[in-house]
Amino acid sequence: MRTDQILTRLERVFARLDREPERPAHLQTPQMSRHRVVLLGSTFAFYLAIVVAVLTTSWLVRLDWQIMFFRPYEQWPQLHAFLDYLVVLGQRGPTAVMVAAWLGWRSWRQHTLRPLITLGVALLLLNITVGSVKLGLGRLGPHYATEIGSAELFAGGDIFPSGHTANAVVTWGILAYLASTGVTRRVLSVVSAVVSLSVGATTVYLGTHWVSDVLLGWSAGLLILLALPWFEPLIARTEAYVFDVRELLRRRAETGRMPAPVVSALTPLLSAGGKWQLRSPTEAATATAEEPVPKPVTTTAAAATTATAHSPTARPAVHPAGRPHVIRSERTPVTPNGSRRPAHTERATERATARGAAARPVAGG
């Protein structure tokens, strides 16, 4: 496929996204209500309680070992083949592709990039939060445990919290978060909860995670979903920035040169009042246009300024006393040696006498 065909198709996609949303309901975003704040605080407290229980090797660690010795995959082997496929719903790659495809279709239908940007922000938060805790605590899984009854922390592992569980909560829960109606949001919330619970239980059945890993994975994913309304201003500004950059590139393709505001527009971080904030290219260009631009001094204006400074009116010429001003015809003509001063007669006589004396030989007595 040629480059011009690809650009034409991208232009059609952005042309559809430029249209107004189909219904006002699509513009409604979840708010950080008091109920959500309370739920966020309780989930965070539960998260800390799980971490403390594992760090202190409490009853939760003993429960982990008891279930590990129970070996569910040996108790119900007939479920093994089915659950091997079910656990894929918690893997990062397949789930991200499936959910991104659906949200891409929604972006096409609703003429907005918000669903895809929200998914990207949620996955970025998931990688930062869950990944840092995994590497920081370094817990080993049941199949690699070395000491019975130990929490297996700081041993170079990366299974606490469960990444499959947290990923299932975020990727499938984002569908409920982005739902446009209350009924759809409730239905998708139940579906995402069932999927994430099933994925977490499947990892325990397969022996790849402890029970405490799954509990912490559930709470970690739920924390990200509950905190997403705080990132809605960033999501909206990012969407506006993408469309502004696209408009600048389109104008560049039409005119063959970069428009004037592009230099400032392509700089998303601009200082305002001593603080750094994200601005869209349109806002950056507007701020740049409002700044006073010094006018260039032309050659004519510079010459006029110089002439005014040296004019008789601005600075009259003052001649020292005893040296009257003479006109050009009264001045001494220029000599061949380039000197305007006449040769001094007395000095010339002295020099000739000195040369003559040096030329005569000295007579001895």
Side-chain angles (χ1 to χ4, degrees):
M1 185 179 294
R2 295 185 301 176
T3 305
D4 53 352
Q5 295 178 351
I6 296 176
L7 294 177
T8 302
R9 294 190 178 184
L10 289 177
E11 183 66 23
R12 292 176 181 176
V13 172
F14 278 105
R16 182 176 180 86
L17 292 174
D18 285 340
R19 294 168 53 189
E20 294 296 329
E22 295 178 355
R23 293 183 301 172
H26 294 150
L27 298 177
Q28 297 177 0
T29 57
Q31 302 296 325
M32 205 65 186
S33 60
R34 182 179 300 178
H35 173 74
R36 183 180 287 268
V37 172
V38 172
L39 188 58
L40 177 66
S42 59
T43 305
F44 184 69
F46 180 76
Y47 183 96
L48 293 179
I50 297 297
V51 174
V52 171
V54 174
L55 289 174
T56 57
T57 317
S58 63
W59 60 271
L60 185 57
V61 176
R62 294 193 297 269
L63 178 63
D64 289 339
W65 281 95
Q66 291 173 0
I67 295 179
M68 193 273 286
F69 285 132
F70 181 70
R71 292 183 174 85
Y73 55 89
E74 293 182 355
Q75 302 297 327
W76 302 283
Q78 64 276 10
L79 300 177
H80 199 287
F82 170 73
L83 294 180
D84 270 342
Y85 290 100
L86 180 63
V87 78
V88 176
L89 296 178
Q91 291 183 358
R92 182 70 49 81
T95 56
V97 171
M98 289 186 289
V99 174
W102 171 252
L103 295 181
W105 173 249
R106 283 196 55 186
S107 296
W108 174 268
R109 292 292 304 273
Q110 299 177 1
H111 321 303
T112 176
L113 291 176
R114 177 176 171 264
L116 290 176
I117 297 176
T118 304
L119 175 63
V121 171
L123 293 180
L124 180 62
L125 293 175
L126 180 65
N127 290 333
I128 294 175
T129 56
V130 175
S132 59
V133 176
K134 277 176 173 287
L135 298 178
L137 296 179
R139 191 181 191 186
L140 294 176
H143 293 315
Y144 303 95
T146 58
E147 183 180 353
I148 297 177
S150 172
E152 302 292 338
L153 293 173
F154 311 109
D158 58 351
I159 56 99
F160 183 69
S162 172
H164 277 70
T165 307
N167 184 71
V169 173
V170 172
T171 52
W172 301 111
I174 203 73
L175 299 178
Y177 178 84
L178 294 172
S180 56
T181 61
V183 177
T184 307
R185 181 175 291 112
R186 285 190 290 269
V187 172
L188 292 177
S189 298
V190 173
V191 172
S192 62
V194 171
V195 172
S196 59
L197 290 173
S198 302
V199 170
T202 300
T203 59
V204 176
Y205 168 86
L206 297 174
T208 57
H209 279 287
W210 308 98
V211 174
S212 55
D213 298 342
V214 175
L215 295 178
L216 196 66
W218 281 332
S219 56
L222 187 57
L223 283 175
I224 294 174
L225 289 179
L226 292 174
L228 273 181
W230 281 335
F231 296 89
E232 284 295 338
L234 176 62
I235 294 172
R237 191 172 289 273
T238 303
E239 181 183 14
Y241 182 77
V242 170
F243 278 108
D244 287 343
V245 171
R246 173 253 173 182
E247 180 64 22
L248 292 174
L249 294 178
R250 186 183 65 83
R251 287 191 296 171
R252 180 185 182 184
E254 292 178 353
T255 59
R257 61 178 182 176
M258 186 70 74
V262 169
V263 176
S264 60
L266 294 181
T267 306
L269 294 178
L270 296 175
S271 177
K275 298 182 179 180
W276 293 94
Q277 62 180 4
L278 182 65
R279 292 184 179 179
S280 65
T282 303
E283 296 174 347
T286 304
T288 306
E290 293 176 355
E291 296 178 357
V293 180
K295 297 182 179 180
V297 180
T298 60
T299 306
T300 306
T305 304
T306 306
T308 304
H310 293 280
S311 62
T313 306
R315 190 174 59 182
V318 178
H319 299 282
R323 189 178 179 182
H325 178 72
V326 295
I327 61 177
R328 180 175 296 273
S329 59
E330 297 176 355
R331 296 177 183 174
T332 305
V334 180
T335 61
N337 294 332
S339 173
R340 292 180 177 270
R341 295 183 302 172
H344 201 282
T345 307
E346 297 178 357
R347 290 184 180 179
T349 304
E350 292 177 358
R351 291 176 182 175
T353 304
R355 285 196 299 269
R360 292 195 302 269
V362 180

